Amino acid sequence: MTVILCAAASAFFILSAFLPVLITILAFICRDCKKCGIRPAFYVFISLSAAGLFYYFLNRDRLAVKNN
């Protein structure tokens, strides 16, 4: 039981420490999507992972041109 409690506390503190970084990244993606005229909902959701963020950065110029 103690091991599970320590693991849960560790997970909570790691998430709490990473939350400001995650919020900053998501706010940047949302602001960038709105500036380029791209609907942000899907790209904000996929940018939660590193692969999704990389995908967004690779395709944002192409998506902005397609929408304009």
Side-chain angles (χ1 to χ4, degrees):
M1 184 68 183
T2 305
V3 173
I4 295 172
L5 185 61
C6 288
S10 176
F12 173 76
F13 288 121
I14 288 172
L15 180 62
S16 297
F18 185 65
L19 202 56
V21 174
L22 186 64
I23 290 171
T24 303
I25 291 170
L26 295 179
F28 170 75
I29 297 295
C30 187
R31 201 172 35 243
D32 190 53
C33 282
K34 288 178 182 177
K35 183 178 74 172
C36 293
I38 303 168
R39 292 184 313 183
F42 175 71
Y43 292 101
V44 168
F45 180 70
I46 67 164
S47 66
L48 289 173
S49 69
L53 186 62
F54 188 65
Y55 174 79
Y56 171 73
F57 281 133
L58 284 176
N59 290 315
R60 79 173 169 183
D61 292 331
R62 183 180 55 83
L63 291 167
V65 170
K66 185 190 298 184
N67 287 337
N68 289 333

